[in-house]
Amino acid sequence: MASASPLDLKLDRALGERTAAAFAKGLGLRTVGDLLSHYPRRYARRGELSALTELPRDENVTIVAEVLSAVNRPMRAKRGSILEVTISDGTGILTLTFFNQAWRQGELKPGARGIFAGKVGDYKGSAQLAHPDYELFEEDPDPQRAAAWAQLPIPIYPATSTVASWQIQKAVGVVLDTLGALDDPVPDAVRAQRKLMPFARALELIHRPQVDADWGGARKALRFQEAFVLQAALLQQRARLRSVAATARTPGPLLEGFDAALPFTLTGDQRAVGQQIAHDLAEPVPMNRLVQGEVGSGKTLVALRAMLAVAESGGQSALLAPTEVLAQQHLRSIARTLGPDLSARLRPTLLTGQLPVAERRKAMLAAVSGSARIVVGTHALLGDKVEFFDLGLVVVDEQHRFGVEQREALRLKGQQPPHVLVLTATPIPRTVAMTVFGDLDISSIAELPAGRSPIESFVVPLAEKPGWISRVWERVAEELAKGHQAFVVVPAIDRTVTEGELLDVSPAANVTDVLASLRENPVLAGRRIEALHGRLPGDEKDALMRDFAAGAIDVLVATTVIEVGVDVPNASTMVVLDADRFGVSQLHQLRGRVGRGGVQGLALFVTGAEELTLARERVEAVASTLDGFELANKDLELRQEGDVLGSTQSGGRSSLRLVRVAKDGELIAEAREVAADILDSDPTLAEHPALRDALERRLDAEAEAFLAKN
Ligand code: ADP
Ligand code: MG
């Protein structure tokens, strides 16, 4: 437990049961700390003083005026009452409305003068203000005071239908008025050097700024604190992972024999990353390394070499793939790459949820007895029932499909924690990597094996060129005539079922309809066209992939089940229908499925999105470059932050609030450096109690969020 801080006070103690219940239910805020880190989204202005004769619609105005009348009446159609107040500044008349706030009639008496602010709405042709802010003058208005009030930034909070922004503002005010002293997790020296205001002052000014410069400075201080505490937490987590013992593994004849038999030479990057991994494995602490590299850059091969090092001393490796199709494919390609001799010795084994019971039992036996030194599977490998004899290495392929918790569950499977290697084809900008995978070491494979020709990509803009769709199918037919194969990727399975994360909800191109129409398309007459999607039984999917890989199927109409890893060197063409429904990274991944062998790859992104829309921009971005890192950065710009970080990072209360990974790269890097320096010289944080408390508070919140979800 962190030592008592005003931030840990429960909201029911600070605000009363009823308000606290509403805040917990509507916004997930439970403590004073939660509430105070629920920052305003933006700041509105009461605006310049306006005259009643010229009220611009939809703008925020401030008016000095006198109340003429206030009438409360029941609503006509609904329950509740409406208070209508008319005011005048001597030039015109304006109506204010309040729902269910009859009590205001006591304040807003005829003759009362004050200053009124709100957004001008239109009701049956005349201007009105609904629920305006106001402050009544006691005597004659002091022009200076009126002007200051009109300048005051109004915090606008993320609100819900049950908790309004002004209610949050009020509650924050109550809490701030009684807040005791706060320890700052950012050390004084760091704060002084970066010219940051103290924590308590920053909280005051972000919620109750007097002028705009106030909240600017407050955000700056709180943003740094957020990045700093996060980086300190990640670095501490990294240190914690390395504080337990793991079995050191050193390569020997198994790997030497494998390398000698490889029909190609490793690329420079493969060799370099291989050395980093070998170095990690040889240490008596668990490896936690992320390897990122484009599709086809040879990551799986690098992972396989690590498995061979572990197998040398009888250790087992588990390879986790995101889907059954991919697990099956991995197993086949591992067996092929190992060759009959090594396969017989290492017994690569498939263990997935869809295996028939007898086979599954056999695979589990091979895992627990240690006879299978390579086990390939999906989430089923995380099941309680699967045990290993000596699990030395866990390889997670395509990290973005696996949450932190799943990684954690696997880590707990061995007697001693296994080494963990995470592979991802999604290029991750450095700052995102630092933020999301800050507890992992990171390696990159940038170099592609020689002899790959770059994929050609085109946008097919149906908004302007509806006729081009028939040209797409002719182009596919031309590729088939050359003996190549094609993928057609669509967002939905049928008119009702979609797969994967989509960015739009209106009806989309679907497998069922597209399959039917392609089979009837004369330019594709005589071609074998099949459909693959996640709702097919596992053995059917496997058979389809096998047939496609063997060249027996010409065109595969599929959902994103084929997104990652599927390797068919003879597939030259990828058509993506409704391409605007996919994210930038996803399109880039999809494109990586073609042009993998010696054949020239072609990607056609078909979209109905209009020019200059964000949807269209995403598709154009992918077509314009093959550089995954450039696209990842573009993706960051175009997407919502939450999508980038995944639900784990954006969901919990420990999520980022002010830090934006797309913009704050430098800040994040600096915060990491500062945090690393502190943890280096003071690993237990004995000299930094406020930081230690903040980290413990984070862990508590994470544990709570984890328990709430599970
Ligand atoms: P990734 O997992 O990064 O998508 P893979 O490891 O599956 O890439 O490799 C893609 C293909 O390239 C495989 O067929 C693999 O055998 C082959 N490959 C891997 N490394 C090399 C290399 N250095 N030279 C030539 N081909 C390679
Ligand atoms: Mg792969």
Side-chain angles (χ1 to χ4, degrees):
M1 261 311 286
S3 57
S5 152
L7 298 180
D8 295 326
L9 186 68
K10 296 275 185 251
L11 281 181
D12 53 359
R13 301 271 307 279
L15 300 173
E17 302 264 346
R18 253 187 73 193
T19 310
F23 277 47
K25 189 151 176 277
L27 297 162
L29 306 176
R30 287 179 179 80
T31 64
V32 163
D34 294 345
L35 178 63
L36 291 181
S37 54
H38 189 74
Y39 303 130
R41 193 205 320 275
R42 64 186 179 87
Y43 300 85
R45 290 195 154 265
R46 290 187 166 84
E48 302 302 313
L49 297 183
S50 307
L52 277 185
T53 40
E54 39 187 90
L55 285 181
R57 296 299 197 268
D58 278 340
E59 274 180 33
N60 285 304
V61 296
T62 302
I63 305 135
V64 175
E66 182 178 322
V67 175
L68 296 182
S69 69
V71 181
N72 192 55
R73 61 170 173 80
M75 302 267 280
R76 290 191 191 93
K78 290 189 271 182
R79 275 173 45 165
S81 70
I82 182 165
L83 175 66
E84 282 179 345
V85 179
T86 50
I87 57 172
S88 171
D89 65 350
T91 64
I93 288 180
L94 177 69
T95 305
L96 319 177
T97 53
F98 299 88
F99 295 99
N100 289 335
Q101 294 180 16
W103 58 270
R104 290 191 192 276
Q105 210 171 2
E107 285 182 1
L108 296 166
K109 293 194 193 102
R113 287 176 58 76
I115 177 163
F116 301 84
K119 193 164 166 180
V120 182
D122 199 306
Y123 184 72
K124 293 187 176 158
S126 44
Q128 75 163 30
L129 301 184
H131 288 228
D133 263 337
Y134 62 85
E135 189 168 288
L136 297 177
F137 302 133
E138 281 159 23
E139 295 142 26
D140 274 345
D142 167 2
Q144 234 174 348
R145 201 168 135 223
W149 193 79
Q151 285 303 315
L152 213 57
I154 311 167
I156 307 292
Y157 288 92
T160 69
S161 57
T162 49
V163 186
S165 176
W166 64 267
Q167 287 170 306
I168 300 168
Q169 186 184 355
K170 209 169 123 197
V172 167
V174 169
V175 165
L176 282 176
D177 281 342
T178 56
L179 193 67
L182 283 182
D183 295 326
D184 200 328
V186 180
D188 292 346
V190 175
R191 221 177 44 230
Q193 198 215 346
R194 305 187 68 93
K195 298 197 172 56
L196 302 173
M197 63 178 77
F199 188 20
R201 174 126 186 94
L203 283 178
E204 171 69 28
L205 292 187
I206 201 167
H207 290 293
R208 294 199 288 207
Q210 300 298 307
V211 290
D212 280 339
D214 286 348
W215 59 260
R219 275 189 177 173
K220 184 177 158 206
L222 293 169
R223 184 180 297 122
F224 181 79
Q225 189 198 88
E226 188 175 296
F228 171 72
V229 171
L230 173 64
Q231 289 306 325
L234 289 167
L235 287 168
Q236 207 184 38
Q237 166 75 0
R238 185 174 179 281
R240 206 174 285 136
L241 290 173
R242 297 173 60 87
S243 69
V244 288
T247 311
R249 312 278 181 173
T250 37
L254 280 177
L255 182 59
E256 281 161 28
F258 175 80
D259 281 350
L262 267 184
F264 45 73
T265 50
L266 298 177
T267 64
D269 283 349
Q270 279 176 318
R271 241 193 324 269
V273 173
Q275 270 161 14
Q276 289 171 335
I277 292 172
H279 179 266
D280 290 351
L281 290 176
E283 287 200 48
V285 296
M287 167 173 75
N288 282 283
R289 184 170 290 280
L290 174 81
V291 174
Q292 55 175 343
E294 290 284 309
V295 167
S297 61
K299 297 181 296 297
T300 311
L301 191 87
V302 165
L304 188 57
R305 293 182 71 245
M307 295 184 206
L308 286 163
V310 169
E312 192 67 50
S313 52
Q316 294 168 286
S317 297
L319 170 59
L320 261 67
T323 65
E324 298 258 337
V325 173
L326 283 168
Q328 289 161 2
Q329 186 188 291
H330 265 309
L331 184 82
R332 276 197 305 273
S333 94
I334 283 173
R336 198 173 51 229
T337 314
L338 286 176
D341 216 34
L342 277 175
S343 288
R345 293 174 63 185
L346 304 180
R347 289 189 53 192
T349 300
L350 186 71
L351 180 41
T352 68
Q354 287 182 10
L355 283 182
V357 178
E359 244 176 275
R360 192 173 143 77
R361 197 170 293 145
K362 234 173 78 188
M364 283 170 63
L365 198 63
V368 74
S369 69
S371 71
R373 271 183 272 174
I374 297 178
V375 180
V376 182
T378 58
H379 293 80
L381 277 189
L382 303 180
D384 293 335
K385 293 199 195 112
V386 182
E387 280 177 55
F388 291 85
F389 179 70
D390 176 16
L391 183 59
L393 170 66
V394 172
V395 179
V396 182
D397 195 15
E398 303 304 344
Q399 157 72 24
H400 57 295
R401 300 284 177 96
F402 282 99
V404 176
E405 296 122 46
Q406 283 143 326
R407 248 199 291 153
E408 198 57 38
L410 248 190
R411 204 177 273 143
L412 298 175
K413 280 214 92 71
Q415 271 74 37
Q416 281 199 322
H419 298 283
V420 174
L421 185 61
V422 175
L423 310 180
T424 177
T426 311
I428 305 165
R430 208 169 75 90
T431 53
V432 179
M434 263 193 286
T435 311
V436 183
F437 306 115
D439 56 337
L440 302 178
D441 296 314
I442 296 176
S443 305
S444 297
I445 305 185
E447 196 181 346
L448 288 182
R452 302 263 163 85
S453 46
I455 302 163
E456 289 187 82
S457 309
F458 300 98
V459 177
V460 181
L462 296 185
E464 298 103 77
K465 311 273 184 193
W468 283 13
I469 189 67
S470 54
R471 180 73 194 112
V472 167
W473 305 124
E474 281 163 23
R475 191 71 186 76
V476 168
E478 287 164 26
E479 285 296 316
L480 301 187
K482 288 188 227 163
H484 299 153
Q485 293 160 277
F487 290 106
V488 177
V489 178
V490 297
I493 296 181
D494 57 30
R495 285 176 203 185
T496 56
V497 183
T498 56
E499 262 184 6
E501 44 159 354
L502 296 179
L503 305 170
D504 191 343
V505 288
S506 53
N510 65 80
V511 173
T512 315
D513 291 350
V514 171
L515 179 70
S517 100
L518 290 186
R519 280 178 171 170
E520 278 169 18
N521 193 323
V523 302
L524 297 173
R527 297 299 186 181
R528 184 168 167 204
I529 307 173
E530 299 291 347
L532 178 73
H533 56 76
R535 265 195 323 193
L536 293 175
D539 48 349
E540 227 172 283
K541 274 190 288 196
D542 195 28
L544 280 166
M545 271 323 296
R546 239 191 340 253
D547 285 358
F548 189 65
I553 296 173
D554 298 298
V555 179
L556 198 58
V557 181
T559 55
T560 50
V561 290
I562 60 120
E563 181 187 346
V564 275
V566 175
D567 198 1
V568 181
N570 192 46
S572 67
T573 307
M574 160 133 333
V575 178
V576 184
L577 297 178
D578 282 339
D580 50 283
R581 304 221 175 201
F582 301 94
V584 169
S585 298
Q586 208 176 10
L587 288 175
H588 181 60
Q589 294 264 329
L590 282 167
R591 169 171 60 188
R593 302 291 104 228
V594 296
R596 289 173 64 88
V599 304
Q600 169 70 55
L602 172 68
L604 300 173
F605 300 120
V606 181
T607 175
E610 307 270 347
E611 253 177 316
L612 302 178
T613 58
L614 205 63
R616 177 75 168 268
E617 202 183 325
R618 277 201 306 270
V619 181
E620 305 266 4
V622 182
S624 70
T625 178
L626 292 171
D627 182 334
F629 280 92
E630 190 184 325
L631 284 175
N633 282 316
K634 187 83 188 169
D635 204 4
L636 263 187
E637 270 169 44
L638 296 178
R639 264 171 174 244
Q640 297 258 316
E641 206 78 10
D643 296 340
V644 176
L645 298 183
S647 55
T648 333
Q649 271 70 29
S650 61
R653 265 192 281 110
S654 53
S655 63
L656 298 181
R657 294 191 167 81
L658 295 171
V659 172
R660 290 291 166 258
V661 283
K663 289 194 313 229
D664 297 327
E666 214 170 303
L667 177 83
I668 294 171
E670 287 170 16
R672 188 175 179 87
E673 230 169 90
V674 176
D677 282 349
I678 291 172
L679 282 163
D680 271 353
S681 62
D682 180 20
T684 61
L685 295 178
E687 310 287 314
H688 298 84
L691 176 58
R692 195 189 56 216
D693 287 353
L695 294 181
E696 277 174 30
R697 196 168 293 120
R698 259 189 82 88
L699 280 179
D700 288 350
E702 261 163 34
E704 225 173 273
F706 182 74
L707 288 177
K709 260 196 294 176
N710 291 276

